[in-house]
Structures are given as C-alpha cells and as structure tokens.
Amino acid sequence: MTQWQQFKKEYLPAVLSKLDEKWDVFAPVEQEDGFRFKQMPAAGEVFLGPRKPLLPLKLLFLPEVEELFSYSLKGVSPELTQAVSGGRERVIFGALGCDIASLDILDRVFLTEPVDEAYRRRGEQATLVALACVGEGPECFCTSFGIDPLQPKGADVILVTLANDTPQSEKKETKQKFCGGAGGSFPKEPPARRRQEVFLLKAFSKKGKRLVEALRPLLTEAPQSDIAQLTDLSSNSRGDVPADSLPREESELWDLPLWKNLASRCLGCGVCTLLCPTCYCFDVEDERCGAAGKRFRAWDSCMSSCFTKMAGGDNPRPTKVERVRQRFLHKLSYYPREKESVACVGCGRCTVHCPVGISIEDVILEINRFLASGGEGGVFEKLPPSTPQKTFVDSAGQVSRTPGGKHE
Amino acid sequence: MSRALLLPQVFKIKTIKRLTPDTLLYEVTDQDGNFDLSYRPGQFMEVSIFGSGECPISITSTPSRPQHIEFAVREVGLVSGAMHNLEPSEHIGLRGPFGNGFPIDALKGKDIFFIAGGIGLAPLRSLINYMLDHREDFGAIDIVYGARSPELLCFAEEFAAWQEAPDTRLHLTIDKETPGWQGKVGFVPAIVKELGLPPRDRAAIACGPPVMIKFTLLDLAALGYPDEDVITTLELKMKCGVGKCGRCNIGPIYVCREGPVFRLSELNRLPAEY
Ligand SMILES: Cc1cc2nc3c(=O)[nH]c(=O)nc-3n(C[C@H](O)[C@H](O)[C@H](O)COP(=O)(O)OP(=O)(O)OC[C@H]3O[C@@H](n4cnc5c(N)ncnc54)[C@H](O)[C@@H]3O)c2cc1C
Ligand code: SF4
Ligand code: SF4
Ligand code: FES
C-alpha cells in the first residue's frame, strides 16, 4: 500500500479509534488552555489545519519536565529506580513540517554519543503523521531552511486535506509545489470542484506502512482526480530568509551593535526559547519529600539571568547583551558549525510570542544587511523601537501583521 | 538496556578528612571496598547528593593509585553544603568520568611548572601525584601553591612527600605575613614572577581563582611562555557533563566535553566569555 489512500472526513473518529487500538494517539486540539497536542483526543476536538500548537512537538520527545529516576533513602544505601518511558508506541497525528524538521535538529544532539536513551526510545516508538501544511501564517519561513511543509522529510505518513468546494485554480501563486515525493509527479487533470472534504494519506516509511495497513478497512484507493489536485497545493512559507549565507565563525558576528540594541528591548522572559521547537537546554534538579525523592530534568532557557551564574556569583554572561547573543549565535553559528544545519526551522513562534516583538527573521536579515554594507551603521539603529515585522495574535489565536487584522 | 545518561551509580564514602575550614576530602569506594573505574588526571565527575542535587567535582586522586578515588569539596552552596553534612559510610552518587583531562603524553619529557591557588590544587594534585608515580617520564617539577593564610592550604599532609621527591620543588605562599610561617609571602603571580623559571622545554599548568589565573597568565607571557605551553582548567556552570544540557559552552565548544583542560592557544581562539 504505497499508493495514495483516502478517507472521508466523517471517518476521522473511526480512524482515530482504530489507531487507538494499537497506539497512544496524540493530535492537536483546541482546548480552554490553548491549542496543543493532546493524548487520546476526542475526534470532535481534533483540529487538522495549518495551525501550530503553542507548545512545539519537542514536548513529546523531550518533555517539559521529565523524571529521570526516583530514590528511596530508607535503607542502608540509597535505592535508585530508573524512570521508564515505557507504554505503547505512539502515533502523532497532524504534526506540521516545521515541528517534524525540528526533531532532526534535536536528534543531532541527543542521538550522538553518549546517546540519550529516553529520547531515543521516544523517537523509535513514534509514528509521525504529517499534515501537509498549506499554511499562510505571516510568521512562517520554514522553506528558507529547505523544509518542505507539504511533504516534510522525516514524516512516516503524509496526510492531506482536500478542501470543500474550492476551485483549485484560484490558488495564489505558489512558492512550494507538491511534488509527490518518491513516486514522481502526478498526472495533470483539470481541477475539479470538491463536494466533500476528504483526507488523502500515503506512507513514506516502514512505520508509516504499518499504520496505513492498520487503517486499511477504513481506506479506499484515492481517485486520480483527487491525486491530481495535490499538484495544486501550495504553501506560502517565505523561502527567502538568508540564514545559510551568514558566516559561521562567531568572531565575525561577536561585536555587532545589534546585540546591544536587542538587549535593550528584551525582557529576558525566555518565552522565545521555551516555545522554540529546536531549543533543547535543560536543567537538572532534585525534589525530596522525607525519605524519598526524585531527580528530574526540565526545559531551561539561556535567556534566564541565572542560567550560567555560578555558586559565589560569577557569571560569564552577566547582562542581556551576552544572553541575547548566545541565543542567536547558538542557532546561527555554534550549532551549524558542529551539526551542519542552522538550529531554526522557521516556525516563527518566537517572533509571534515575544512580548517586545524581537524577530529572528529580522535578526538574520539585519546581520546580512550589516555585513553586506561592510559593517556600516549600527544594526537596527535606524529601526523604530518596535519592529515593523511585529505580528499580532487575536483572541481566536489567528496570527496577522496588523492588530486585529486578517493577514493578507 | 543501556544505562540512562543521567543516572548515577551509588558509592560509599570510606573516609572524610578536613583539608581546610571549608574543604573536606572524601575517599569513595564501591561496595566491595575498591574502585573499579578508569580515569585520567584532570577529568571530573558529577557527584550526587540524593535530595539536594548534583555538581561537577574534579577527581583529585591519581589513577596510578587505583585502590581509591578522592574528591576535595569546598562548601559553597546547596549540593556542596549537603555533602559537608554526610558522615563516613554514607553514600553519594557518581556519574563520569567526564572531560578531556591533562595532555599527559604531550607533557612527557618536559619540565613542569604547576601553579595553583586555594581549591585549584585539587585537579592539579591528581597530575602531580601521577607524575611522581611516573617520575622518570617527566623533567624537573616546580609547584607554586598559595592561599590567603596557612590553614587554607589544602593537602598539607602531602607537602613533605612532594618536597622530598627527586628534582621536585614546592614553593608555598600566603597572602600576608603570619607568625610561624616559613614559606613565601605574596600573591601567586608575584611568586611566579620572582621564580622566573624560563620557558625552555617547560609547560606551565595553572588552576585557581579567576583573578589569580588572569595575572598568572600575564606573568607567564612576560616570561616568554608560548601559549601552547600554558595549560589551565576552566570552571563553568554545569548540569549534564556530557554536552547536552547546553549550559557550559564558550562559543562553539562545551567545557564539559572539550574541556575542562585547555591550552592558552586554544582559549585564544574562543570568545572571551568565561
Ligand atoms: C570541571 C569542574 C571541576 C570542579 N572541581 C571542583 C572541586 O574539585 N572541588 C570543589 O569544591 N569544587 C569544584 N568545582 C566547583 C563546583 O562544581 C561548584 O562549587 C558546585 O557546583 C557548587 O554547587 P552547589 O550546589 O554547592 O552550589 P549552588 O550555588 O547551590 O549551585 C547549584 C547548582 O549549580 C551548578 N553550579 C553552581 N556553581 C557551579 C560551578 N562553579 N561550577 C559548576 N557548576 C556549578 C551545579 O550544578 C550546582 O549543583 C568544579 C567545577 C567544575 C566545572
Ligand atoms: S528560533 Fe523561532 S522561528 Fe526558529 S525554530 Fe525557534 S521558535 Fe521557530
Ligand atoms: S521572548 Fe522576547 S523578551 Fe522574552 S526573552 Fe525572548 S527575546 Fe527577550
Ligand atoms: S554541562 Fe551540560 S552541556 Fe556541559
């Protein structure tokens, strides 16, 4: 079954409960506390669309707080019990390309020697069902990093929603075309009008085949007319943010006036790093209650003032200038030098949620501009205090470039 | 199943000795009374006090005396404080050894100039005793060691053995004149300058508080030591010890992984953020 299969939208509950027989299913849902991945979602609450959960996918692989082991101090010597991340295998249903690509960035840290076994096991046990992202979020620039939001590398299954009654030919000019992956191109047919919403899906890995196989009773072969529509899908992610052209030697980027400008606005709240799918710094702490306790690790942020502060008060990064520089240079210089990839997938979460509108995209553009101008003028010095790239989130969670406005 | 990355192994404290008013020396064994672990001088371990946490501590013993492993711990905060409350026969957790350690092979045949201040002697002691146990492999050894006052000098019990070792000199110094003090008086960098040991075929290995290091490096440069022959160990905040938690980087390198021992020539290539 490596052909495109399909199921109608009303079959989604059946699909989810079928998966639930074998796997723990996680999918994005709209809840009172926001849009996020949830285990065992009710079919009605699952939202499959081009919208990013607030917390990135990394939380299913590197949890916000993760018990490492527990201990008992009752006996002669402490007894340690290693935490087991056991249980059933998982299906992550409806993850977007940026988040899936971020796992590759985390893999290069946690799967290199010494391997982080808990992380490795979670990856091994996860089947990723990617939702082809036809998103037009103004914050999105994943394609700048070579990510294909329609058919992300690393996905086990690709799921495509074909929208209701949309004359496909009216689609805007595209930057990214669905290319049909390993199987080559699709036959062209005149675009048809859809009556019914359907999901198309296709396996792209062994794990993916297993999943599609399990769903077989609910699937039918997709008709050529539907498959033909895939070529018209497109994403509006901006592919022209020049992150790869930056010098990787930090000495060339160390003294940019930009860092001081950013530091003067940054609040050091750490939101940018906690919401970032590729940030992985963690803290390790103990929690003791009487004769028992546990050690856990938890997400941490290099933007925090005590991140590098040592006993006695010495701190190699005493001000926000050093901390802001660390955040960006880790992504754009240190990580790329070691791991051959920029540590950003262009999801734009940091930009959307930074309370003072600091945008990594602006930072990349401004560094490029500064270096191209031979280091003339202070980077950002000509920009107003709040950058024109600011994005807004309305009460429904929609992102736009203007307050309360719809993005064009 | 392979061992989890951040899971320590439990060891028993065999003895605890007071080195200075705020520093204790712990001898650790496994359940069978010995310690089966290979390590290099200059490496460190993550020491766990269950209920308080974990912190990186240099191995101060030498692998050339394999019957035990030792840590010298100064009380400065949560974990080190909890460790000071432990009694012999109580337990700690250990992970490691981590880090690169001293470049022993490259030091063979050279004269060695050790320069230490306060607790900074702990990692150097591992190498000093290693060299004394392989005396014929190394040239002349000079050790400058200083502290604020005589009772703050660690490892005083070993000074006699070091002084008596062949072609080895120990130059002790304290900050201020004290009645009964036989050694030198003055800051460590001043003694380094005063000794004026020429750099020919000699490596300088320094560890101590940041100000001491700063001035010592200037004096060594003035004496003509090339940056390749000046070695120091760095202390940065750490959590994992294995290059994953993202805590201890200086630019593109992680001190827990590429360090904590660096040649000055290597440090010069890094941004000055330590
Ligand atoms: C490679 C290396 C070797 C060291 N060797 C020794 C030694 O032999 N003897 C000794 O007494 N001290 C040594 N230190 C310093 C020792 O690690 C700190 O004094 C200790 O971490 C303080 O922990 P605390 O919980 O008592 O203090 P807190 O201020 O309560 O620190 C909380 C946590 O922050 C981290 N942390 C705080 N300060 C430091 C620091 N200076 N370095 C690293 N992590 C820190 C630790 O994870 C610690 O558990 C070494 C440090 C490094 C990096
Ligand atoms: S740096 Fe910002 S845009 Fe890049 S991956 Fe992280 S949150 Fe997304
Ligand atoms: S979200 Fe914005 S204000 Fe908060 S730490 Fe990040 S850059 Fe600074
Ligand atoms: S201590 Fe975690 S990266 Fe060095």
Side-chain angles (χ1 to χ4, degrees):
Chain A
M1 282 223 302
T2 48
Q3 283 316 299
W4 285 96
Q5 306 288 313
Q6 72 166 35
F7 63 89
K8 290 197 185 103
K9 193 181 177 192
E10 38 303 7
Y11 286 6
L12 184 60
V15 163
L16 292 175
S17 57
K18 190 84 201 157
L19 292 176
D20 182 54
E21 290 172 9
K22 267 210 184 108
W23 288 274
D24 282 347
V25 181
F26 291 78
V29 301
E30 180 68 63
Q31 287 211 310
E32 279 181 1
D33 60 350
F35 186 57
R36 61 185 187 86
F37 283 104
K38 185 187 171 191
Q39 184 171 359
M40 297 281 258
E45 53 180 4
V46 173
F47 177 85
L48 294 172
R51 192 176 153 200
K52 279 179 280 276
L54 176 64
L55 291 178
L57 182 60
K58 74 174 177 188
L59 93 170
L60 295 178
F61 297 85
L62 188 69
E64 291 165 272
V65 179
E66 176 186 3
E67 181 180 323
L68 300 168
F69 58 90
S70 59
Y71 48 83
S72 158
L73 303 176
K74 287 203 187 86
V76 187
S77 70
E79 232 168 80
L80 311 192
T81 312
Q82 189 180 330
V84 279
S85 69
R88 300 201 297 173
E89 290 184 33
R90 292 168 162 184
V91 168
I92 295 150
F93 200 83
L96 301 186
C98 50
D99 270 2
I100 289 178
S102 76
L103 298 179
D104 179 44
I105 289 177
L106 302 183
D107 283 355
R108 295 179 201 201
V109 175
F110 292 104
L111 299 186
T112 47
E113 282 299 328
V115 172
D116 186 311
E117 278 302 315
Y119 176 88
R120 191 190 59 76
R121 217 169 317 121
R122 288 194 194 95
E124 204 174 73
Q125 293 198 330
T127 303
L128 297 169
V129 179
L131 182 72
C133 182
V134 288
E136 294 170 47
E139 77 278 18
C140 296
F141 61 112
C142 65
T143 44
S144 295
F145 302 100
I147 295 165
D148 180 352
L150 297 170
Q151 189 184 296
K153 233 174 101 210
D156 298 302
V157 175
I158 309 273
L159 185 72
V160 189
T161 337
L162 288 186
N164 228 343
D165 244 335
T166 314
Q168 297 294 322
S169 49
E170 278 174 26
K171 270 272 169 197
K172 280 194 269 188
E173 220 209 292
T174 61
K175 292 186 181 158
Q176 189 76 24
K177 287 273 192 186
F178 206 97
C179 65
S185 61
F186 299 102
K188 284 261 182 201
E189 270 178 39
R193 281 174 180 272
R194 307 266 346 134
R195 292 274 139 56
Q196 244 165 345
E197 216 172 332
V198 296
F199 289 109
L200 264 58
L201 80 169
K202 179 172 166 173
F204 283 83
S205 73
K206 243 179 167 163
K207 279 190 213 169
K209 279 187 191 142
R210 228 178 104 218
L211 183 141
V212 173
E213 199 59 48
L215 291 179
R216 190 187 261 286
L218 299 167
L219 304 177
T220 57
E221 198 107 331
Q224 280 305 314
S225 56
D226 280 354
I227 294 176
Q229 283 189 50
L230 294 175
T231 43
D232 290 322
L233 293 179
S234 70
S235 130
N236 260 22
S237 163
R238 280 166 288 108
D240 54 359
V241 179
D244 265 338
S245 62
L246 292 177
R248 293 193 167 174
E249 282 293 331
E250 76 279 357
S251 54
E252 294 184 51
L253 304 169
W254 195 254
D255 284 324
L256 303 186
L258 161 76
W259 307 132
K260 279 189 186 140
N261 180 296
L262 293 174
S264 70
R265 290 150 54 200
C266 171
L267 307 171
C269 65
V271 159
C272 49
T273 52
L274 296 178
L275 295 184
C276 175
T278 70
C279 277
Y280 55 83
C281 288
F282 61 83
D283 190 15
V284 179
E285 295 289 341
D286 275 31
E287 192 178 81
R288 180 173 171 179
C289 183
K294 59 185 175 186
R295 181 161 302 159
F296 56 89
R297 71 170 157 192
W299 294 353
D300 203 348
S301 171
C302 61
M303 302 303 273
S304 137
S305 61
C306 54
F307 189 70
T308 50
K309 191 166 166 186
M310 291 180 266
D314 282 350
N315 190 350
R317 293 188 207 126
T319 77
K320 280 181 282 175
V321 177
E322 296 85 34
R323 301 196 283 269
V324 166
R325 177 170 55 203
Q326 162 66 22
R327 175 185 160 218
F328 288 111
L329 287 193
H330 181 241
K331 294 193 172 303
L332 303 173
S333 163
Y334 312 152
Y335 184 98
R337 271 171 71 175
E338 188 185 337
K339 310 285 189 188
E340 302 293 321
S341 158
V342 175
C344 171
V345 292
C347 73
R349 284 182 178 94
C350 57
T351 305
V352 171
H353 295 284
C354 173
V356 297
I358 290 176
S359 146
I360 185 166
E361 195 183 329
D362 286 353
V363 168
I364 293 169
L365 291 170
E366 285 296 329
I367 295 176
N368 272 291
R369 193 193 60 70
F370 183 78
L371 294 176
S373 73
E376 245 176 61
V379 177
F380 270 11
E381 272 169 13
K382 292 185 209 92
L383 291 178
S386 167
T387 110
Q389 289 272 332
K390 174 119 183 75
T391 47
F392 298 87
V393 191
D394 69 16
S395 53
Q398 282 296 320
V399 180
S400 63
R401 283 282 194 211
T402 48
K406 286 224 69 74
H407 54 79
E408 5 85 291
Chain B
M1 188 177 60
S2 53
R3 191 165 185 79
L5 202 55
L6 300 172
L7 184 70
Q9 241 176 304
V10 176
F11 288 91
K12 189 166 161 178
I13 300 170
K14 193 166 156 195
T15 62
I16 302 177
K17 270 191 225 157
R18 184 161 293 280
L19 295 176
T20 75
D22 65 4
T23 304
L24 296 175
L25 180 69
Y26 297 82
E27 186 190 349
V28 174
T29 67
D30 65 16
Q31 307 298 347
D32 307 324
N34 46 40
F35 199 95
D36 183 16
L37 179 105
S38 54
Y39 63 91
R40 295 187 295 278
Q43 287 192 296
F44 67 94
M45 295 192 84
E46 282 286 342
V47 176
S48 274
I49 310 301
F50 300 106
S52 301
E54 207 172 27
C55 66
I57 301 291
S58 309
I59 305 175
T60 187
S61 50
T62 165
S64 52
R65 302 174 194 177
Q67 55 282 11
H68 61 206
I69 188 165
E70 288 173 332
F71 302 96
V73 180
R74 195 159 87 100
E75 177 173 6
V76 292
L78 189 71
V79 182
S80 54
M83 189 152 178
H84 273 235
N85 290 332
L86 294 181
E87 306 274 342
S89 89
E90 287 195 279
H91 297 79
I92 62 173
L94 293 177
R95 287 193 298 123
F98 298 129
N100 55 353
F102 294 106
I104 290 186
D105 286 339
L107 293 171
K108 283 189 178 150
K110 289 203 171 219
D111 294 343
I112 310 289
F113 187 8
F114 287 105
I115 303 159
I119 184 85
L121 186 59
L124 298 193
R125 174 191 179 240
S126 177
L127 184 59
I128 292 170
N129 284 334
Y130 180 91
M131 287 182 167
L132 296 185
D133 291 343
H134 298 86
R135 193 65 196 86
E136 64 289 356
D137 289 348
F138 303 91
I141 296 178
D142 282 87
I143 305 165
V144 170
Y145 179 39
R148 258 178 297 137
S149 55
E151 76 277 8
L152 295 179
L153 291 164
C154 298
F155 304 108
E157 277 184 13
E158 270 158 90
F159 293 165
W162 293 357
Q163 259 148 348
E164 284 156 21
D167 201 10
T168 303
R169 282 158 300 277
L170 175 64
H171 316 272
L172 296 172
T173 183
I174 57 169
D175 289 1
K176 272 191 259 136
E177 212 65 74
T178 306
W181 175 248
Q182 310 271 306
K184 294 179 183 295
V185 174
F187 296 126
V188 166
I191 307 301
V192 168
K193 209 180 203 163
E194 179 191 314
L195 283 174
L197 295 174
R200 222 178 65 85
D201 250 344
R202 192 188 312 269
I205 307 176
C207 185
V211 274
M212 183 208 100
I213 296 291
K214 193 175 148 202
F215 289 106
T216 300
L217 295 183
L218 292 177
D219 289 325
L220 289 171
L223 287 170
Y225 281 79
D227 292 345
E228 294 78 43
D229 288 339
V230 176
I231 294 170
T232 185
T233 80
L234 291 187
E235 184 175 324
L236 256 78
K237 190 163 179 175
M238 292 185 181
K239 285 290 170 180
C240 69
V242 288
K244 311 275 188 207
C245 75
R247 180 94 33 177
C248 68
N249 73 300
I250 302 173
I253 64 99
Y254 289 93
V255 173
C256 66
R257 197 178 64 186
E258 278 85 5
V261 178
F262 293 93
R263 291 172 188 276
L264 189 52
S265 50
E266 295 166 330
L267 288 183
N268 289 341
R269 288 196 288 271
L270 296 176
E273 197 172 75
Y274 49 88

